[in-house]
Amino acid sequence: MEKKRYYHIRTTFLYMSHLSATDREIADIIEKERLRQLNGLELIASENLVSKAVLEAMGSIMTNKYAEGYPGKRYYGGCEFHDMAENLARDRLKTLFGAQHANVQPHSGTQANMAVYFAFMKLGETLMSMKLSQGGHLSHGSPVSFTGQFYKVAQYGVDPETEVIDYGVVEELARKERPKILVCGASAYPRTIDFKAFQEIADGVGAYCMADIAHIAGLCATGVHPNSVGVVNFTTTTTHKTLRGPRGGAIMCNTEYAQAIDKAIFPGMQGGPLMHTITAKAVCFHEALRPSFTDYSRQIVKNAKAMADTLIGHDLRLVSGGTDNHLILLDLTAQGITGLEAEIALGKAGITVNKNTIPNENRSPFVTSGLRIGTPAVTSRGMKEEQMHQIGDYIASILKDISNTAQIARIEKEVIAMAGKYPLYPE
Ligand SMILES: *Cc1c(COP(=O)(O)O)cnc(C)c1O
């Protein structure tokens, strides 16, 4: 078994020939992970599969350079080609979203958010955002994050009946709390976000508005979801979710805020930029500018809707009753099982999802009553509505009979067969 895996490394993953010769332990781990990705169905809403071109840029010699500063203003010599790469990344990102200014240096989505807070909020000032348990993100003011400890936090949720954001309630809270920054954007919200409404609420109370589009960036770039850039003061994002690029972050804003944002990232809170990642971001943005990426983004949503229809057809309850984007939030209360149990059972069948809190959750975040399901990664593999219906059937069958190990084993075989038809890197 082990031998066969090494054989795979040498033949199919030629670019790792060096690694497999010098560090067998790590090469073997990577190969095991490759087989996991190949044989399973990745339905974690925040994950995706990058292109070979992005992989090559990330694994390139661009990592060998220190390039503290920004293009044309570096603290190290020899940065002429890094300037070219970073300028290209910035220009492509600006074109993609119609932004006046872009900073492509944040190491992650959290650091992009951190920079906006650092630039425009003093310690103890008020940050207003969506509750983590109702779809928000840790970096939006959770007590376990620096954001919850450095700033005063006021949070809105979703309407208990409709399970969508009630903008009237958000406005009322903003009037009462007078935040310095009003944050919108989420990690587990299946519906369209009205960025214009958020900016208007912020304007009404003299606050800045920040849209964190980490999850939906690819959809925003292609018009599949309304774009926040040019509508709100600051847009932050990751580059590795629906945007399908390397793991990292970015910030976009109007020129008037450019200097403050750039200074907050460097020297404010980061040292040398990850130039190999920035180079790979440029490749990702180039890919996202192609018409085929718009088709891809549309298919992500079509697939999520197809999966939602199938699950609803099996009498499962979706938070808010459906989806407008790339993700579905399932409420498992009626099935009498927890998110944790569901995640483990589906995992045994090769279907990777994550347990997730739902609005008005009464279980801990380690157990939860919900599941989050996303379609970006399987859509990258070329799967369409037909496969979503099939996967939806698998999920429903397992959730309805969670301890039926024979059924899980049978579905696992079918999952491997289905996944095999959609290779990660067909070329
Ligand atoms: C994923 C996510 C982030 C953070 O991204 P990291 O790169 O993991 O730090 C920030 N905000 C939202 C809404 C996210 O979903």
Side-chain angles (χ1 to χ4, degrees):
M1 187 65 185
E2 292 300 297
K3 264 208 178 99
K4 193 166 157 240
R5 281 183 176 155
Y6 292 131
Y7 175 76
H8 269 281
I9 293 164
R10 293 220 187 89
T11 55
T12 61
F13 256 39
L14 269 181
Y15 74 93
M16 290 220 172
S17 58
H18 233 85
L19 189 57
S20 57
T22 60
D23 191 338
R24 282 259 170 131
E25 281 171 285
I26 282 293
D28 191 34
I29 289 168
I30 295 174
E31 177 60 8
K32 284 184 167 111
E33 170 59 11
R34 186 183 73 84
L35 293 172
R36 186 193 69 86
Q37 291 185 16
L38 179 67
N39 292 327
L41 296 173
E42 184 55 71
L43 294 171
I44 291 182
S46 51
E47 293 187 14
N48 213 329
L49 305 164
V50 302
S51 70
K52 272 196 164 172
V54 167
L55 274 183
E56 276 180 11
M58 256 194 292
S60 73
I61 54 160
M62 297 301 273
T63 196
N64 291 340
K65 188 86 197 80
Y66 244 112
E68 277 182 353
Y70 289 99
K73 291 169 288 188
R74 304 283 191 188
Y75 291 83
Y76 289 83
C79 287
E80 53 270 37
F81 303 116
H82 289 79
D83 282 4
M84 290 164 100
E86 187 168 346
N87 276 329
L88 212 45
R90 293 204 290 201
D91 290 344
R92 287 172 176 176
L93 186 61
K94 286 194 273 183
T95 306
L96 188 59
F97 285 91
Q100 290 181 8
H101 179 71
N103 188 309
V104 295
Q105 292 196 0
H107 298 334
S108 72
T110 295
Q111 273 156 292
N113 291 344
M114 193 174 182
V116 173
Y117 305 153
F118 188 46
F120 294 99
M121 236 181 344
K122 291 197 188 72
L123 287 184
E125 288 188 320
T126 301
L127 170 70
M128 183 171 146
S129 60
M130 192 174 207
K131 288 177 193 157
L132 179 63
S133 63
Q134 303 210 0
H137 189 259
L138 281 167
S139 63
H140 295 179
S142 161
V144 296
S145 148
F146 79 95
T147 55
Q149 297 176 23
F150 290 2
Y151 307 110
K152 195 166 161 265
V153 179
Q155 295 199 302
Y156 56 89
V158 293
D159 179 83
E161 289 302 314
T162 61
E163 298 176 314
V164 300
I165 295 168
D166 180 333
Y167 295 88
V169 170
V170 174
E171 185 173 13
E172 219 172 279
L173 186 68
R175 287 231 175 93
K176 183 166 156 267
E177 299 287 345
R178 298 266 149 188
K180 191 76 192 281
I181 300 182
L182 171 60
V183 177
C184 58
S187 299
Y189 186 66
R191 295 301 188 175
T192 300
I193 296 171
D194 187 342
F195 297 123
K196 202 163 158 276
F198 271 105
Q199 182 66 55
E200 281 169 9
I201 293 168
D203 287 340
V205 298
Y208 293 111
C209 185
M210 178 185 109
D212 176 351
I213 61 167
H215 260 260
I216 53 172
L219 309 181
C220 294
T222 50
V224 177
H225 184 288
N227 188 1
S228 59
V229 176
V231 176
V232 302
N233 300 118
F234 320 109
T235 294
T236 59
T237 186
T238 63
T239 47
H240 50 271
K241 298 182 185 174
T242 49
L243 210 43
R244 208 165 66 182
R247 204 154 281 282
I251 306 171
M252 288 168 278
C253 60
N254 282 352
T255 316
E256 62 184 301
Y257 305 121
Q259 209 188 358
I261 291 289
D262 287 356
K263 273 170 68 182
I265 286 287
F266 177 84
M269 39 167 284
Q270 288 189 179
L274 309 177
M275 289 311 299
H276 56 309
T277 303
I278 289 172
T279 307
K281 285 173 185 172
V283 176
C284 150
F285 303 150
H286 185 59
E287 290 176 356
L289 281 163
R290 289 193 205 132
S292 58
F293 191 79
T294 301
D295 298 338
Y296 164 67
S297 301
R298 288 198 185 116
Q299 191 64 47
I300 288 177
V301 177
K302 282 189 208 161
N303 282 354
K305 285 185 190 293
M307 175 96 71
D309 287 345
T310 307
L311 296 172
I312 291 167
H314 284 286
D315 288 329
L316 291 164
R317 196 184 88 80
L318 273 55
V319 170
S320 83
T323 180
D324 300 326
N325 59 23
H326 64 299
L327 73 84
I328 291 162
L329 202 52
L330 262 183
D331 174 2
L332 300 169
T333 309
Q335 280 64 47
I337 54 175
T338 67
L340 178 63
E341 289 164 336
E343 178 188 303
I344 292 170
L346 292 167
K348 284 183 187 150
I351 298 172
T352 311
V353 294
N354 65 279
K355 60 181 183 276
N356 212 100
T357 54
I358 54 169
N360 309 309
E361 180 64 67
N362 51 27
R363 292 192 168 103
S364 88
F366 295 103
V367 180
T368 81
S369 307
L371 268 192
R372 191 181 66 163
I373 303 174
T375 54
V378 287
T379 307
S380 288
R381 290 177 80 162
M383 293 188 189
K384 299 228 157 71
E385 288 93 327
E386 191 191 331
Q387 288 72 42
M388 296 307 115
H389 293 311
Q390 186 66 65
I391 298 169
D393 287 344
Y394 294 152
I395 292 174
S397 302
I398 291 174
L399 295 182
K400 286 185 173 173
D401 197 1
I402 200 155
S403 46
N404 185 342
T405 49
Q407 173 172 263
I408 291 175
R410 177 180 59 72
I411 291 177
E412 185 195 10
K413 283 206 186 97
E414 291 186 35
V415 163
I416 292 172
M418 179 193 257
K421 290 189 198 141
Y422 297 88
L424 299 173
Y425 298 101
E427 71 275 23

